[in-house]
Amino acid sequence: MESKVLSSSEIEERRRDFGMESAVGLVLVARSPVKDKLRYDTSKTNAYLTEYCGVKDNDCPDSAFDLDCTHFVCHALNKTGVFVQLPSTSCDSGLCIRVNDLAESFLASTKRYSNVSVVDSHSKTRSGDFCFIPGWFGLSKNHVMVLSDTASSTGAKVYGHTNERCGEFAEFEGEDCIYYRIEDT
């Protein structure tokens, strides 16, 4: 079953449908700021993803949570000095663990940084892009994975926790997709 990539206006509409308000302060930030850009290094994020993708663990005092997609991705982002500012809850390392907080942070970051953007089609995606599935199987929350290759309308090779994926193909099963990219600085 084919999946649709949501446009920016559809992302906003979906947020309203789920009753999600923009939380004040939820945005990705870097420990070492750069003017108008989010300091980022894909290679550091990818190194973490490949080391921890196939194990039920994280490099965190909390280890892994039962539904660990966000925690896993946030620890990967942290390896390049990026984290969610003011998450509603966090692990012992101070990193975001709620997928809706992470999704809101990515959306806010597209408006704040010139190197964070929405990718508007499956065919334009690439390894290292962040894939959110809003309302995963009708739930009012997102799911997040990181692509390990270009996506298609049926799925993609991904890195992820919850269902451990280490570059394996995950079917999107017709669910809508939102892709974000952070360009290296």
Side-chain angles (χ1 to χ4, degrees), residues 128-143:
D129 286 346
F130 298 84
C131 174
F132 287 85
I133 309 288
W136 189 246
F137 296 105
L139 300 173
S140 61
K141 66 174 198 159
N142 295 280
H143 178 61

Side-chain angles (χ1 to χ4, degrees), residues 80-156:
T80 190
V82 173
F83 60 97
V84 174
Q85 179 176 276
L86 302 174
S88 61
T89 190
S90 60
C91 67
D92 284 343
S93 296
L95 302 178
C96 178
I97 62 173
R98 295 230 168 106
V99 68
N100 287 348
D101 287 355
L102 183 60
E104 286 293 307
S105 295
F106 266 91
L107 181 60
S109 295
T110 65
K111 298 168 186 168
R112 183 174 188 175
Y113 304 112
S114 62
N115 66 324
V116 181
S117 61
V118 174
V119 180
D120 63 4
S121 76
H122 298 294
S123 64
K124 292 180 183 176
T125 61
R126 65 182 186 215
S127 177
D129 286 346
F130 298 84
C131 174
F132 287 85
I133 309 288
W136 189 246
F137 296 105
L139 300 173
S140 61
K141 66 174 198 159
N142 295 280
H143 178 61
V144 65
M145 304 166 278
V146 181
L147 300 181
S148 66
D149 201 352
T150 302
S152 73
S153 61
T154 58

Side-chain angles (χ1 to χ4, degrees), residues 3-5 12 32 70 72 95 103 108 113-114 116 131 136 143-144 154 159 171-172 176 178:
S3 297
K4 175 183 173 185
V5 178
E12 293 292 344
S32 301
T70 303
F72 174 61
L95 302 178
Y113 304 112
S114 62
V116 181
C131 174
W136 189 246
H143 178 61
V144 65
T154 58
Y159 295 108
E171 289 185 37
F172 294 157
D176 294 335
I178 302 168

Side-chain angles (χ1 to χ4, degrees), residues 3-185:
S3 297
K4 175 183 173 185
V5 178
L6 296 181
S7 67
S8 294
S9 62
E10 290 170 316
I11 295 168
E12 293 292 344
E13 182 180 322
R14 185 65 58 97
R15 288 176 61 256
R16 285 190 301 275
D17 289 348
F18 289 145
M20 296 172 70
E21 300 289 328
S22 287
V24 175
L26 270 180
V27 67
L28 296 173
V29 293
R31 285 181 175 77
S32 301
V34 177
K35 184 180 178 177
D36 299 341
K37 292 187 178 188
L38 181 66
R39 185 178 298 275
Y40 186 74
D41 182 341
T42 303
S43 66
K44 291 179 181 178
T45 301
N46 285 344
Y48 184 88
L49 293 168
T50 56
E51 182 176 350
Y52 288 96
C53 63
V55 296
K56 276 237 180 247
D57 203 0
N58 278 321
D59 109 356
C60 178
D62 292 323
S63 187
F65 297 105
D66 290 339
L67 298 174
D68 199 53
C69 66
T70 303
H71 188 227
F72 174 61
V73 169
C74 286
H75 273 273
L77 285 167
N78 190 49
K79 290 305 173 193
T80 190
V82 173
F83 60 97
V84 174
Q85 179 176 276
L86 302 174
S88 61
T89 190
S90 60
C91 67
D92 284 343
S93 296
L95 302 178
C96 178
I97 62 173
R98 295 230 168 106
V99 68
N100 287 348
D101 287 355
L102 183 60
E104 286 293 307
S105 295
F106 266 91
L107 181 60
S109 295
T110 65
K111 298 168 186 168
R112 183 174 188 175
Y113 304 112
S114 62
N115 66 324
V116 181
S117 61
V118 174
V119 180
D120 63 4
S121 76
H122 298 294
S123 64
K124 292 180 183 176
T125 61
R126 65 182 186 215
S127 177
D129 286 346
F130 298 84
C131 174
F132 287 85
I133 309 288
W136 189 246
F137 296 105
L139 300 173
S140 61
K141 66 174 198 159
N142 295 280
H143 178 61
V144 65
M145 304 166 278
V146 181
L147 300 181
S148 66
D149 201 352
T150 302
S152 73
S153 61
T154 58
K157 291 181 179 179
V158 300
Y159 295 108
H161 267 201
T162 303
N163 296 315
E164 288 81 28
R165 303 268 190 216
C166 204
E168 294 125 58
F169 189 81
E171 289 185 37
F172 294 157
E173 302 183 34
E175 297 288 335
D176 294 335
C177 300
I178 302 168
Y179 299 111
Y180 293 101
R181 176 172 298 146
I182 306 173
E183 298 287 351
D184 287 351
T185 52

